[in-house]
Amino acid sequence: MEKIKVGVVGTGFIGPAHIEALRRLPNVEVAALCEVTAELAKQKADALGIARSYTFDELLKQDDIQCIHICTPNFLHYSQSKAVLEAGKHVVCEKPLAKDLKEAEELVELAAKTGLVNAVHFNLRYYPLARQMRVMREKGDLGEVYSVIGSYLQDWLFYETDYNWRLEPDKSGDSRAIADIGSHLMDILEYITGLKTVAVLADFNTIHKTRKKPLKAVETYSGKMLQPEDYADVPINTEDHANVLLRFDNGNKGVITVSQVSAGRKNQMKLEIAGSKKTFAWNSEAPNEMWIGNRDGYNESLMRDPSLMYSEARSVISFPGGHNEGFPDTSKQMFKEVYEAVAAGKQPENPTYPTFADGYRELLICEKILESNKKQGWVEI
C-alpha cells in the first residue's frame, strides 16, 4: 500500500492530537512537521517521532506531501490554508476557519475552484452517538424538533492566573468561549437536528477582567504553576461565559450556555433535544451512553453498540459494545472519511465530513452572536 504523506503545522495541544489520530489510519503516514523556526520544528519532530521537520514555506515545497493539517493559532488559519491550496495540496484546518467572514468566504471560493479536499476539524460530530442521533432524526424517530438545550463547560481558565494565547484577540479573534468551544456546540446541534439557526440573542460575561499573563511559556492544559514574579497583569475583553437564545428555521427555539470558568467541568458538552416523539440527551464526558425520553412509556438508555445502532452510524465505530470509545477516536473517524476523499484526489460532491463551507457557517453564527452581545438585542443570521 502506498501511503498518503501528510504534514502537520503546529504542535500545541491539538497538533499532537491530529498526529496520534492520523497514525491510526493504515493508509496515512505523518511524514513531516512544521513549526515557526527550523530549530523548534526539529525539536518537536524528534519528540514526536517524525522524520522530517520544516518551516512552513519549506513544507509547502515538498512535492510528496499531499495533505497538510493546520493546527496553529487562529490568526494563522486563513493565510496558511490559502497557501496550502495555492500549493496544490489538500488541507485540514482547525476551527475557526479564519478570523472574519471575508477571509472565510475567500477560502471557501478558493477551495471550490481548486477542487482539492478541504475540511474543518469539527471532530465532535464523530462521536458515534452523535451520528446515531442524526440518523434517528432523519428516520423520523425524534419527530419535529420542539426545543434544544445545549451547554459546553470547561474550567481550564477558572483562575485569574490561567493564561493562553486564546485570551489575546489579535491571535484568537474578538470572541473566545463562543468561538473556541461554542462553535463546536453550534455545529453539532445543527448537524444532529438538521435545523438552521436564524436569529440569536447573546449575553456575555468576563469573570476575570484582568488576568496574570505568565512571562514564560505555558502550554494548554499543562497545569504548570509559576511564582508571583513570573506574571504580568493584562486586561481581558473576551468572554469567559456566554448565554445565547436561539431561533430556528422551523419556528422553534433553543438556548446554549458556554463557559471556560466552571470548576470541575473539564470538557463537558451536553445536549438535550426535545422532539414531538422523543427527547435525546447526551453528555460528551460520558459519550458512550445516550438517554432517550418517552412520554407514554419507559425511558431508555442506549449504550454505544454497533449491533444496536442504525447501520448508517456504524461506520464511525471501531469496537464492539462495552469497549468504550472517546475523544481521540472522533478525530480518527473524521480523518478516515477525509482521507477516503484524499485517496480519490478531490473533494466529493456531498462530503460526509465538515468542510470549509461548514467552517464559514460556524464563523457566521459566531459573528452574529458577538454582534448580538454588543447590541444587547436579537440579530438575524
Side-chain angles (χ1 to χ4, degrees), residues 32-49:
L33 180 148
C34 161
E35 260 297 349
V36 289
T37 66
E39 294 75 20
L40 182 60
K42 178 69 166 62
Q43 176 189 333
K44 293 287 189 175
D46 288 347
L48 291 163

Side-chain angles (χ1 to χ4, degrees), residues 85-330:
L85 289 170
E86 289 176 340
K89 301 181 187 299
H90 308 292
V91 61
V92 177
C93 184
E94 263 303 320
K95 51 79 200 163
L97 179 59
K99 279 190 69 178
D100 60 51
L101 286 173
K102 184 174 181 295
E103 289 182 349
E105 186 175 16
E106 185 181 339
L107 288 177
V108 170
E109 291 173 355
L110 178 60
K113 183 179 177 181
T114 64
L116 292 163
V117 173
N118 58 92
V120 174
H121 192 230
F122 285 121
N123 58 304
L124 301 190
R125 39 161 110 171
Y126 280 82
Y127 280 109
L129 288 173
R131 180 71 63 95
Q132 173 72 5
M133 284 186 278
R134 175 184 168 93
V135 175
M136 289 179 73
R137 186 266 304 166
E138 289 174 336
K139 291 183 177 292
D141 297 348
L142 176 65
E144 181 189 358
V145 177
Y146 282 172
S147 68
V148 169
I149 303 170
S151 64
Y152 202 143
L153 310 178
Q154 298 177 330
D155 73 356
W156 70 287
L157 292 172
F158 181 73
Y159 295 116
E160 66 172 358
T161 50
D162 292 324
Y163 202 86
N164 182 270
W165 60 262
R166 291 174 178 82
L167 291 154
E168 300 173 5
D170 63 326
K171 296 183 180 68
S172 186
D174 292 333
S175 171
R176 186 199 348 128
I178 284 290
D180 187 23
I181 53 178
S183 58
H184 273 298
L185 181 57
M186 293 302 302
D187 176 74
I188 200 170
L189 286 174
E190 291 197 340
Y191 174 74
I192 292 170
T193 65
L195 300 177
K196 292 294 184 187
T197 308
V198 296
V200 294
L201 176 64
D203 194 22
F204 290 1
N205 192 17
T206 303
I207 301 295
H208 297 299
K209 306 296 192 292
T210 301
R211 285 182 181 265
K212 296 187 178 298
K213 180 179 180 178
L215 299 175
K216 52 182 76 171
V218 180
E219 292 185 354
T220 307
Y221 304 126
S222 65
K224 295 175 183 175
M225 298 300 293
L226 302 180
Q227 300 305 310
E229 62 272 18
D230 295 325
Y231 296 102
D233 289 343
V234 296
I236 300 297
N237 53 20
T238 54
E239 74 281 4
D240 291 315
H241 177 278
N243 297 312
V244 188
L245 296 177
L246 311 170
R247 291 176 180 166
F248 299 113
D249 57 356
N250 73 342
N252 290 329
K253 313 292 174 65
V255 60
I256 62 167
T257 295
V258 174
S259 174
Q260 294 177 320
V261 291
S262 295
R265 295 301 185 193
K266 303 306 177 184
N267 191 48
Q268 185 201 65
M269 180 169 65
K270 289 181 71 175
L271 314 174
E272 182 142 336
I273 302 168
S276 59
K277 295 181 180 178
K278 297 179 183 294
T279 296
F280 298 160
W282 178 82
N283 167 12
S284 70
E285 288 189 344
N288 292 278
E289 183 176 355
M290 167 188 168
W291 183 86
I292 303 171
N294 296 293
R295 165 65 189 264
D296 297 317
Y298 295 117
N299 295 331
E300 305 163 77
S301 181
L302 172 62
M303 301 298 290
R304 182 212 52 82
D305 184 337
S307 68
L308 303 176
M309 294 164 66
Y310 281 123
S311 59
E312 294 91 337
R314 291 177 195 151
S315 64
V316 295
I317 303 175
S318 294
F319 295 94
H323 299 76
N324 289 338
E325 293 173 275
F327 178 83
D329 300 284
T330 62

